[in-house]
Amino acid sequence: MVDLAIETAGLSKVYVGGSQSVPAVTGLDLEIRTGELFGLLGPNGAGKSTTIGMLTTLVTPTGGRATVAGADVIKRPVDVKRRISVVTQDTGLDRGLTLSQNLEMRGRLFGMSGRESRRRALELLEVFGLAERAKAKVGWVSGGQAQRLKIARSLMHRPDVLFLDEPTTGIDTQARLNLWEALRELHASGQTIVLTSHYLEEVESLCQRVAVIDDGSLLACDTVAGLKRTAGADTVFTMDFDGPAEPVAETAGKLPGVRRTETDGNRLRVYSTEPEGLFGKLADAGADHGLSVGNAFSTPPSLETAFLALTGRDFQA
């Protein structure tokens, strides 16, 4: 039997305002394994934030059930809060305290003794490469160091599940890579992590499995490699014409190796297993309909093309 850190069944949330009701999450069935680094993807308004809110007890479900670290989010919310940590973009640090003091204060809030909290703080500062800045005030360190400190602080009480909501937003590339390495080491130690991110390459690099949510529903849940296969193509061709692309799509759909076509006004997307020479064939098809090609490019299978295939739109975190 698989040991599950998170399990949901029919989890739903409907927001009601006056005479209107807006479904935010509908019938979500999800299983996240203990020790897994799990990604949650979806465009703006897809239901990601509401889902995380329900799993962390900040949002009350209107249907279904969910357990986190063995505790029911509705029946035992206090137990859930004791077993998790959440790091969001809005998670603040006390800028008047040193890095070590920020961690120690969290430990004391969770009932640790002074000695235990100091020992745990030094341990985490070492893990996250911050030991040399232990006595520096938060206002004196870089954005990347502050972000690592937020995650270190969230681990003071050894949570069963760590929720990271866009943890690398707003930090530079090198700081992001440093944080990725810290997260890999944390995951290797057995920590269960649920990650949402602005960066598809971040999810692709770090996560064992990824769930894609749109319009409040779960579209797919698989490994990154599995999600890439759902794109159904070796290459995705995108071409912009100077008129409606539907006539070209009809012709393209009959070409060898083309599995699927999509149009969005003047834009045509073609999913093909035989990419060689396809640009020329599509341009010729456009010319047959009196259309000229503007912008044109191709994309090999990636998490982005899988996301596009599943949702029908470009990734906008």
Side-chain angles (χ1 to χ4, degrees):
M1 176 178 269
V2 177
D3 186 14
L4 298 178
I6 296 174
E7 183 178 14
T8 75
L11 188 64
S12 302
K13 177 64 180 180
V14 177
Y15 290 102
V16 179
S19 60
Q20 292 186 326
S21 60
V22 179
V25 175
T26 305
L28 183 65
D29 296 329
L30 196 61
E31 293 183 348
I32 299 176
R33 300 159 190 157
T34 297
E36 190 169 25
L37 206 168
F38 189 89
L40 194 61
L41 285 180
N44 285 330
K48 300 190 306 297
S49 296
T50 300
T51 298
I52 295 297
M54 289 189 286
L55 295 177
T56 58
T57 76
L58 297 175
V59 175
T60 302
T62 51
R65 63 178 181 81
T67 57
V68 178
D72 189 290
V73 299
I74 298 175
K75 297 177 181 178
R76 298 166 56 194
V78 174
D79 287 340
V80 172
K81 290 176 182 176
R82 287 173 177 156
R83 300 175 188 185
I84 67 172
S85 262
V86 186
V87 179
T88 70
Q89 296 178 63
D90 298 326
T91 302
L93 296 166
D94 191 323
R95 299 177 66 83
L97 298 180
T98 66
L99 274 61
S100 181
Q101 288 169 339
N102 265 275
L103 270 57
E104 291 172 28
M105 183 172 65
R106 171 62 66 91
R108 297 304 298 270
L109 288 173
F110 275 86
M112 293 182 182
S113 67
R115 176 179 294 180
E116 184 183 8
S117 64
R118 285 191 294 274
R119 184 196 61 76
R120 177 67 172 159
L122 290 174
E123 174 186 305
L124 288 170
L125 289 170
E126 189 70 40
V127 168
F128 283 88
L130 297 169
E132 292 184 359
R133 307 303 307 274
K135 295 183 179 180
K137 290 189 176 181
V138 170
W140 301 347
V141 301
S142 69
Q145 289 172 327
Q147 198 67 0
R148 276 184 278 158
L149 181 65
K150 287 182 184 180
I151 297 175
R153 187 180 63 172
S154 74
L155 296 170
M156 279 295 292
H157 65 293
R158 296 182 173 84
D160 292 308
V161 182
L162 174 62
F163 292 89
L164 299 177
D165 186 11
E166 300 178 2
T168 61
T169 298
I171 62 176
D172 62 51
T173 301
Q174 187 56 55
R176 184 178 301 124
L177 293 175
N178 290 341
L179 186 53
W180 287 10
E181 187 58 35
L183 291 178
R184 288 191 185 99
E185 292 177 6
L186 186 59
H187 171 234
S189 73
Q191 179 67 54
T192 304
I193 304 172
V194 179
L195 171 73
T196 69
S197 176
H198 262 309
Y199 307 103
L200 284 171
E201 69 272 20
E202 183 164 274
V203 173
E204 191 165 357
S205 175
L206 295 175
C207 296
Q208 293 173 282
R209 288 192 306 142
V210 180
V212 179
I213 294 177
D214 196 16
D215 291 328
S217 298
L218 179 66
L219 300 184
C221 182
D222 206 339
T223 62
V224 171
L227 287 176
K228 287 181 183 180
R229 287 193 294 271
T230 66
D234 289 336
T235 306
V236 181
F237 291 82
T238 302
M239 302 184 77
D240 292 326
F241 294 92
D242 59 357
E246 285 88 349
V248 187
E250 293 180 14
T251 302
K254 301 173 184 177
L255 295 173
V258 173
R259 298 186 182 184
R260 184 159 59 94
T261 65
E262 296 174 353
T263 59
D264 181 9
N266 294 357
R267 172 162 287 192
L268 170 68
R269 291 191 184 94
V270 177
Y271 296 73
S272 176
T273 59
E274 298 181 22
E276 187 173 353
L278 188 55
F279 268 136
K281 294 175 183 178
L282 295 174
D284 289 343
D288 290 341
H289 293 284
L291 299 174
S292 297
V293 179
N295 188 38
F297 57 92
S298 63
T299 309
S302 64
L303 191 53
E304 184 170 7
T305 60
F307 184 91
L308 177 63
L310 287 165
T311 67
R313 47 180 163 161
D314 295 323
F315 179 73
Q316 296 291 331

